[in-house]
Amino acid sequence: MTVTDQRVEPTPVKELARRTLADREGALAWLFLLPSVVYIIALVAIPFGLAIAFAFSDVSAGDPSFDWAGMVNFARAFDDPVFWRSLGNTFVFTGVSMVFIVLLGKVLANILVADFRGKWVVRFLVLLPWTTPVALSSISWLWLLDSIYSPIDWVLRAVGLLGKGENMVWLGEPGLAMTSVIAVHVWRLVPLAAVILMAGLVAIPRDIDEAAKVDGAGYWRRMLEITIPLVAPVIAVSALFGAIFTFTDMAVVRVLTRGGPNDATQVLSSWAFYRGIDGGDVAGGAAVALFLFPLLLAVAVGILRVVRRIEVD
Amino acid sequence: MNEGVPRVFGRPRTRREVLRAAAAAAMAASVGGASACASEESPTVDPGATGKEPEVTFAEPATKLSGDLKILLWSHFVPSHDTWFDKFAQEWGKRVGVNVVVDHVDQAQIPTRIAAEIQAGEGHDVIQYIATLSQYEPSVLDLKDLVDEASSRWGEQLELCRKSSSNPSTGKFYAYSPGWVPDPGNFRKSLWEPVGFPQGPTTWDELLTGATEIKKSQNVQLGLGMSQEIDSNMVLRALMWSFGASEQDENERVTLNSPETVAAVEYMTNLYKQAMTPEVFSWNAASNNQGLVAGKLSYVVNSISAWRTAQESNPDIADDTFFVPALRGPKAALAAQHVLYNWIVPEHATGADAAKEFLLHYTANFASATYHSKLYDFCAWSDLTPDIGDWLGDDPFGAKPADKLAFLSDAVPWSANIGHPGPASTAIGEVFNTFVIPNMFARAVRGEASPEQAVADAERQVSSIFDKWRAAGLVGG
């Protein structure tokens, strides 16, 4: 037996350290998580903590010093008729928007996964409303819904649905104003829901659908008994996103109506802003804004429970 | 050879020039649309007018200055003002050894910006806004010394500016208010002449009669907003004051729920039914300007900026637009100030001395501000604009007829501060910014509540706001 003298090359210290770090999954996990954790703490946890603190204080726009005020800001909010109107509007805004976001998102997702010529152009166009800055798109809608110069009114006049010189005044009638706000919000969020649902649709194994086809199942039967049950958890997730984005959104309301006419489109988030920043009552605004939290928490918990039940089934 | 080169406005233009002009026009239109009031391009001075641009004066500061001075102010509705102001501030800085930085932002962003800077404890040394900044009283310097110095130099400050920058309950001048802007009625002469009011309405009754007839005979509506925006806030207060109603008395006690307020609401309900359409509930701050310039409204209440815009963009409409002072009601003829300049110096400011000296220099040269704003800005110390009567009587910027603005020489007696007859307190600011008054009118006009109920509900909201700020020691009564 011959023993050969095999010299082992020493590993450079740097490489060793790198390899060691690369091999330590726990450390790597924290390293990769760190930016998200810092982000969440800085931009979510701290503002949330501040909102809670402010809601129990007398902090105003001009006086940042903290003095304990107990429940007085909540009592004032509950005494305020605009708060209750905003709360009701928030539920209407969120509920109606969610239904349309999920329905239209599903329809759009089906179109996006279909194979046809020019698919990429259609996908690009579909995503545009989501990628356009909300302030910009809302200002475009402000013009489209203008009381005098609305192009939508021009079209309605051209097809004879409106008389000469007649206008819908989209943002001046309470019902039409809420409809307009919901429509613009749905227009913005449908692409997001569609992309989420598209991911769910693509993940369904093709052989299930093909097997159903072989068994003679038609389009609607496959859709209702195979596709929708399989993507139900994803639908719930898109509904959750839609609900949270809608519940906390004030951009569309601020640009289109500023809560008007006569607070008919005022929602909790916009009322919190007007009261807290424009009105100078930061503590009062924080109390209104904080009211969103338990409602959002209940919505999130409810939807996630449904998802879990679906997955278990 | 100019083949293929389009002719635009008289001379052949290259394609690039046309595209640039189109882009500039689109940008101007978008900016104008987003502004609270319309704005116009660079000033065109009428060479035949007698008024001349005032000379800038300079006085040495009381103390040696150094360091930086960071100024934040609005983007003026008349852009030529900002061109002048930026150069004026820089030149003052060079002479006194201060590095001046001027930032302009859209007026709607300023309250949010101030709140952020005060919470952060850093930012600009001096900040200007176009309405009262009473809500920031606890975090800004008392500028009584500055007001006293200005008053000792130039006489008594205009009362509406004083009441919009000081708090009688605390005795503090939370702001310095060197100027303001009147808010007259704007009417289309060609519409009002056929209905028997060639000089426009002078009373609220005449407004009802004339506007009703114009709507019937010419199908052009009246434009007084009842929306959640600043111009609605202004005109509805003017109506209330003219009927003898107000949100508070001079001692800051809430007085909204009164027969006079109910009468004003009933009048507006009638006026709406006779002469307006639901569009007034949807308006933003630019809507009445746009409607007037487009020839779609018979009468609006606004500053002269929309008309100045029309001078450039639609001269025929501009020539047909005339003005009237505040309309007379059963008790008074009053209009709210359209813009009220409030300058504050936050406690965190490092250049407070420079800020105060600059504000004195700016006030001393307010005639230049008036001139470069095309007679938009009015001074709180009338002696500082001795030529204003000549300018208004013979407009240097091309009014037809040249004396169209002459009536503004007497604007002070028919103008009042927000909160009149009391001060523009923090409570008044919150009532203003949460649109309690426009919503009170809108509810009754739309039939959602009787005038009595709408007024009673609004008073409850106003009282709650007053109680809160009174408890904080910022409101008297």
Side-chain angles (χ1 to χ4, degrees), chain B residues 370-427:
Chain B
T370 301
Y371 187 86
H372 288 281
S373 65
K374 293 172 135 184
L375 316 187
Y376 184 86
D377 293 355
F378 279 50
C379 190
W381 284 273
S382 55
D383 289 351
L384 287 172
T385 49
D387 295 331
I388 195 166
D390 293 340
W391 293 337
L392 292 168
D394 186 10
D395 183 47
F397 308 105
K400 290 177 187 168
D403 65 348
K404 188 176 270 189
L405 302 179
F407 77 103
L408 286 176
S409 297
D410 300 320
V412 171
W414 52 262
S415 299
N417 60 290
I418 297 298
H420 172 82
S425 67
T426 311

Side-chain angles (χ1 to χ4, degrees), chain A residues 10 46 62 71 80 92-93 96-97 130 188 212 216 271 292-293 296 301 306 310 313:
Chain A
I46 292 176
M71 298 294 287
D80 180 5
V92 172
F93 180 46
V96 178
S97 297
W130 174 245
R188 273 185 65 221
W271 183 235
L292 293 166
F293 176 67
L296 277 176
V301 169
V306 171
I310 291 168
D313 292 346

Side-chain angles (χ1 to χ4, degrees), chain B residues 306-319:
Chain B
W307 163 72
R308 288 288 191 205
T309 302
Q311 279 186 298
E312 303 284 332
S313 63
N314 201 340
D316 289 342
I317 295 286
D319 292 345

Side-chain angles (χ1 to χ4, degrees), chain A residues 52-262:
Chain A
I52 294 174
F54 284 170
F56 293 97
S57 75
D58 65 349
V59 170
S60 68
D63 186 4
S65 64
F66 185 94
D67 294 301
W68 177 256
M71 298 294 287
V72 70
N73 293 312
F74 294 96
R76 279 189 190 131
F78 295 155
D79 281 344
D80 180 5
V82 184
F83 170 80
W84 293 108
R85 187 154 198 195
S86 305
L87 183 64
N89 290 340
T90 306
F91 279 114
V92 172
F93 180 46
T94 306
V96 178
S97 297
M98 262 178 67
V99 170
F100 280 102
I101 287 168
V102 171
L103 276 179
L104 296 177
K106 176 71 178 71
V107 172
L108 209 54
N110 276 10
I111 294 169
L112 291 179
V113 294
D115 211 10
F116 59 92
R117 210 175 154 84
K119 182 167 72 174
W120 293 106
V121 176
V122 172
R123 283 187 179 179
F124 169 74
L125 291 175
V126 161
L127 281 175
L128 265 184
W130 174 245
T131 52
T132 309
V134 58
L136 197 62
S137 57
S138 298
I139 286 173
S140 305
W141 277 103
L142 192 60
W143 169 63
L144 287 167
L145 300 167
D146 188 87
S147 54
I148 300 174
Y149 302 109
S150 166
I152 299 169
D153 287 2
W154 292 348
V155 173
L156 293 176
R157 275 196 292 271
V159 299
L161 291 174
L162 282 180
K164 194 185 170 197
E166 216 178 323
N167 285 293
M168 289 295 290
V169 194
W170 296 97
L171 305 177
E173 297 284 357
L176 280 177
M178 182 54 99
T179 306
S180 303
V181 167
I182 289 171
V184 174
H185 192 71
V186 168
W187 171 83
R188 273 185 65 221
L189 282 189
V190 160
L192 175 71
V195 169
I196 294 171
L197 290 169
M198 195 175 84
L201 288 175
V202 170
I204 298 174
R206 273 179 174 269
D207 53 349
I208 299 179
D209 196 53
E210 280 161 8
K213 262 188 194 169
V214 170
D215 288 344
Y219 175 82
W220 285 109
R221 192 156 180 204
R222 291 199 317 274
M223 172 66 73
L224 294 172
E225 294 185 15
I226 295 173
T227 310
I228 289 181
L230 285 175
V231 295
V234 183
I235 290 176
V237 168
S238 75
L240 180 60
F241 269 107
I244 291 172
F245 280 137
T246 309
F247 225 90
T248 54
D249 184 84
M250 61 165 276
V252 176
V253 167
R254 181 158 163 77
V255 175
L256 287 188
T257 62
R258 299 159 311 285
N262 191 20

Side-chain angles (χ1 to χ4, degrees), chain B residues 36-112:
Chain B
C37 290
S39 62
E40 82 289 341
E41 295 306 308
S42 55
T44 313
V45 177
D46 181 359
T50 52
K52 293 285 174 283
E53 181 180 343
E55 295 285 326
V56 171
T57 62
F58 175 78
E60 283 295 337
T63 55
K64 174 80 182 147
L65 301 173
S66 63
D68 294 335
L69 175 63
K70 286 173 282 181
I71 302 171
L72 175 69
L73 74 164
W74 73 319
S75 296
H76 203 289
F77 292 145
V78 182
S80 54
H81 170 275
D82 290 351
T83 309
W84 163 79
F85 181 88
D86 293 359
K87 191 164 167 253
F88 170 80
Q90 295 295 345
E91 282 174 357
W92 175 82
K94 277 182 198 152
R95 289 186 79 160
V96 301
V98 171
N99 177 37
V100 176
V101 177
V102 181
D103 294 320
H104 295 273
V105 296
D106 178 70
Q107 54 88 18
Q109 307 302 321
I110 290 180
T112 314

Side-chain angles (χ1 to χ4, degrees), chain B residues 280-293:
Chain B
V280 296
F281 302 116
S282 70
W283 276 359
N284 59 40
S287 300
N288 58 3
N289 298 318
Q290 290 164 352
L292 184 77
V293 172

Side-chain angles (χ1 to χ4, degrees), chain A residues 36-53 290:
Chain A
S36 305
V37 172
V38 170
Y39 174 86
I40 289 169
I41 290 174
L43 296 178
V44 180
I46 292 176
F48 181 62
L50 277 176
I52 294 174
L290 205 60

